[in-house]
Amino acid sequence: MSVFQAQKTAVITGAASGIGFATARLCRSRGMHLALLDNDTVNLNQAKNELVAQDSTLKTEAYEIDVGNRERWAEVAQQIQSSFAQVDLVFLNAARGQKAQSEYEGKLKPWTAVDSWKETFDTNVFGPLNGIQALIPLLLSSNTPKSIVITGSKQGITNPPGGGVPAYNASKAAIKNLTEHLAHDLRSDPATAHISTHLLVPGWTWTGMSGNKGPTREEEMKKREGAWFPSQVAEELVRGVEKGSFYIICPDDDVDRALDQARMQWASDDVVEDRPALSRWEQNWKAPAEEAIKADAERRRK
């Protein structure tokens, strides 16, 4: 039975824009109640107003939160429990893309910006951990099907260098491992086997990190060619959860599923084949990697 049904309740972090808001709109179109969480109070209230206008008969509550703040999570979880009969979907989506700030320049810069690493991990890793701790008791209130979806990133799998943001890649790699363990532990215990867990891995999406801040209307959005709209990722999320997929890997208009698979296979084989770390970007390996990935992708498309 799908959690995306009328009168079910979704709790969504990062709900004021991007994928979070698009998923909230999709849930609302399915007749679901909504608990919206974000640290952007202005856009959060705007998102709430738009979703109330979509269907005012359904409950919609907004909660300002820094997801890295465990004490605030405890308060919000208690408020959600008081306002909603039950929680059926938890979508832990809030994240930050942190550029390193330090006194050094060049490739050394991100390795001396420890505060930037901490800020990134507080949101991208401890944010979901705090949410799991606070909301798991609400998912145990009944044994009807429930779902947890956590937003990862392809950068946490293929780990591309450059941009001065290894902290972001590392945080999303941690989220992949965390979510895998969570899925295994929940399905292995009869008391929690009714809670499915899913890792959402968007492709290139025009979100708040790209400048698409707030609950914008996609028909008015000016996005880069090749990027997906947030609503496309939300639709892929629903399809993946309803199919029972753990890894919900989203393509985009530049990169299809076969190319994603080939790139991830190459990254994994760095370990298996004892190649240099991140060999795909190593000078002596660039050409062989590109050729092998292209051939693998073409084979997968057949």
Side-chain angles (χ1 to χ4, degrees), residues 125-141:
V125 179
F126 287 100
L129 271 174
N130 292 337
I132 292 164
Q133 180 189 49
L135 298 175
I136 280 283
L138 279 62
L139 297 177
L140 295 174
S141 63

Side-chain angles (χ1 to χ4, degrees), residues 243-261:
K243 181 182 175 183
S245 299
F246 173 78
Y247 301 100
I248 305 174
I249 310 292
C250 301
D252 53 51
D253 290 341
D254 272 353
V255 179
D256 66 2
R257 197 172 305 278
L259 183 53
D260 272 333
Q261 291 169 332

Side-chain angles (χ1 to χ4, degrees), residues 14-22 38 40 43 93 95-97 204-216 218 221 223 228-230:
S17 63
I19 296 168
F21 178 68
D38 207 291
D40 182 344
N43 282 317
N93 166 69
R96 74 160 69 224
W204 182 20
T205 311
W206 208 244
T207 68
M209 290 185 189
S210 313
N212 174 30
K213 201 74 174 167
T216 53
E218 292 186 353
M221 188 186 300
K223 72 171 182 65
W228 262 18
F229 287 110

Side-chain angles (χ1 to χ4, degrees), residues 253-274:
D253 290 341
D254 272 353
V255 179
D256 66 2
R257 197 172 305 278
L259 183 53
D260 272 333
Q261 291 169 332
R263 287 174 173 176
M264 288 186 276
Q265 185 68 63
W266 181 273
S268 177
D269 283 348
D270 275 354
V271 180
V272 176
E273 303 297 338
D274 191 25

Side-chain angles (χ1 to χ4, degrees), residues 147-186:
S147 294
I148 298 172
V149 181
I150 303 178
T151 301
S153 171
K154 290 175 191 175
Q155 289 181 225
I157 301 172
T158 57
N159 197 21
V165 287
Y168 180 81
N169 292 8
S171 72
K172 290 302 185 177
I175 280 298
K176 174 181 174 290
N177 289 356
L178 179 160
T179 311
E180 288 169 340
H181 280 279
L182 179 65
H184 177 271
D185 290 346
L186 291 178

Side-chain angles (χ1 to χ4, degrees), residues 30-181:
R30 294 282 189 104
M32 297 177 69
H33 305 292
L34 296 169
L36 311 171
L37 283 64
D38 207 291
N39 66 348
D40 182 344
T41 307
V42 173
N43 282 317
L44 179 61
N45 289 330
Q46 184 181 341
K48 177 183 176 179
N49 292 339
E50 292 198 20
L51 291 162
V52 168
Q54 193 173 337
D55 190 336
S56 61
T57 67
L58 296 166
K59 184 178 283 291
T60 309
E61 299 292 347
Y63 305 92
E64 184 277 327
I65 187 173
D66 171 359
V67 294
N69 186 326
R70 193 191 309 175
E71 290 74 23
R72 179 59 181 151
W73 260 114
E75 296 170 356
V76 169
Q78 188 173 38
Q79 291 167 354
I80 291 171
Q81 188 172 29
S82 298
S83 296
F84 297 89
Q86 64 180 29
V87 170
D88 304 280
L89 169 67
V90 171
F91 181 26
L92 300 171
N93 166 69
R96 74 160 69 224
Q98 182 66 44
K99 291 205 176 223
Q101 301 293 323
S102 92
E103 60 185 299
Y104 295 93
E105 295 298 330
K107 294 192 175 179
L108 186 61
K109 184 175 182 178
W111 302 104
T112 60
V114 176
D115 287 344
S116 292
W117 280 76
K118 184 177 184 306
E119 290 172 4
T120 301
F121 270 67
D122 280 348
T123 299
N124 294 3
V125 179
F126 287 100
L129 271 174
N130 292 337
I132 292 164
Q133 180 189 49
L135 298 175
I136 280 283
L138 279 62
L139 297 177
L140 295 174
S141 63
S142 74
N143 61 2
T144 57
K146 315 284 187 184
S147 294
I148 298 172
V149 181
I150 303 178
T151 301
S153 171
K154 290 175 191 175
Q155 289 181 225
I157 301 172
T158 57
N159 197 21
V165 287
Y168 180 81
N169 292 8
S171 72
K172 290 302 185 177
I175 280 298
K176 174 181 174 290
N177 289 356
L178 179 160
T179 311
E180 288 169 340
H181 280 279

